Amino acid sequence: MKSTFTSDLNKERKLSVLLDVYYTKYLTQYNTKRIVDYKQQLAGIDVIFTHKKTKAVYYIDEKAQLDYVNDDLPTFAFELSYFKNNYHKEGWLFDTRKKTDFYALVTAIYEDEPSIYTTCKITLVNRKKLCSFLEARKITKTSLASYFNNSNVTQGKLIINELDHRTEGYLYFSTNTKVEKPINLILRLDFLIENGLAKRLV
């Protein structure tokens, strides 16, 4: 398995052009600024939204389904852990060092030719509300770790008691198919919207 890090970065840069068009069109009450500073990006800030009247500032972390171009999945993968340089790393969902206020989940990405993106959907997820909701459901870093440690699953879906796997979500292991070996919490987008944790921008 080979890392696709550089290729993914190039795709993200090209996708950001389309995203900026959508932000300008649909977020008329906000000024938007794309962040190029690597340290800020590591802190979970890809774009800053600033309200034109109140001057309220929101940090946005863009997450795009670039592995599923020309497809419209009803779910999104929230990263819990992964491997890098043979070290186990914490994923972005429960990482308290991140400064993210909202995730911009980019799905249904379509292209007319390779890496020329024409349309997509953007769902804005309130990170604080999401984490509080999960905690109220007893879905925490500790509770999920117990599933990892007590399961023989190394690839594929793992049902957890706290979520309805058909309408809400489940765990997913990609140990055998991705070099980073991520473990993700898969959540349905409609579930997030219906519970007031997210809104569809476009």
Side-chain angles (χ1 to χ4, degrees):
M1 290 180 290
K2 185 179 179 181
S3 176
T4 58
F5 181 75
T6 302
S7 173
D8 287 347
L9 278 180
N10 290 331
K11 290 178 181 178
E12 287 170 7
R13 289 191 191 100
K14 291 179 178 179
L15 179 62
S16 69
V17 175
L18 176 62
L19 298 180
D20 287 342
V21 169
Y22 280 147
Y23 295 151
T24 300
K25 182 177 180 179
Y26 294 103
L27 289 169
T28 57
Q29 299 299 313
Y30 290 85
N31 292 315
T32 63
K33 178 185 178 183
R34 183 159 295 281
I35 300 303
V36 294
D37 180 74
Y38 186 60
K39 286 186 177 180
Q40 284 186 286
Q41 291 175 340
L42 284 179
I45 309 170
D46 290 313
V47 183
I48 297 176
F49 293 170
T50 304
H51 196 279
K52 292 177 180 178
K53 289 186 178 180
T54 67
K55 305 303 179 185
V57 173
Y58 301 98
Y59 297 142
I60 312 302
D61 191 358
E62 294 172 334
K63 302 295 183 185
Q65 287 183 340
L66 285 166
D67 287 343
Y68 303 96
V69 171
N70 295 324
D71 201 355
D72 188 1
L73 301 184
T75 58
F76 205 93
F78 291 78
E79 186 182 71
L80 300 173
S81 67
Y82 65 99
F83 275 87
K84 185 176 181 180
N85 300 325
N86 293 320
Y87 286 98
H88 186 264
K89 301 276 190 176
E90 181 178 12
W92 44 263
L93 178 58
F94 292 127
D95 188 345
T96 56
R97 295 167 297 180
K98 301 296 186 187
K99 297 180 179 180
T100 308
D101 293 310
F102 287 86
Y103 298 118
L105 307 184
V106 188
T107 60
I109 304 165
Y110 287 88
E111 61 184 7
D112 286 343
E113 53 186 283
S115 299
I116 305 298
Y117 305 114
T118 53
T119 62
C120 66
K121 294 178 181 177
I122 303 173
T123 304
L124 295 174
V125 180
N126 186 309
R127 183 174 186 244
K128 187 175 181 179
K129 284 185 178 180
L130 173 61
C131 290
S132 295
F133 179 88
L134 293 175
E135 187 174 356
R137 281 283 192 100
K138 309 300 182 187
I139 301 169
T140 63
K141 192 189 307 186
T142 302
S143 70
L144 293 177
S146 68
Y147 280 106
F148 311 158
N149 298 332
N150 295 309
S151 172
N152 294 321
V153 174
T154 59
Q155 179 64 39
K157 181 177 178 178
L158 177 63
I159 295 172
I160 63 175
N161 297 327
E162 293 81 1
L163 294 170
D164 185 319
H165 69 99
R166 292 157 299 190
T167 61
E168 298 178 341
Y170 50 87
L171 289 176
Y172 196 89
F173 295 73
S174 300
T175 305
N176 301 333
T177 54
K178 294 190 176 183
V179 68
E180 296 87 1
K181 302 181 180 181
I183 300 174
N184 294 317
L185 179 65
I186 306 297
L187 297 174
R188 291 187 69 88
L189 294 171
D190 286 348
F191 170 64
L192 297 175
I193 293 169
E194 288 163 5
N195 283 280
L197 310 174
K199 289 183 179 180
R200 177 69 49 76
L201 177 64
V202 59

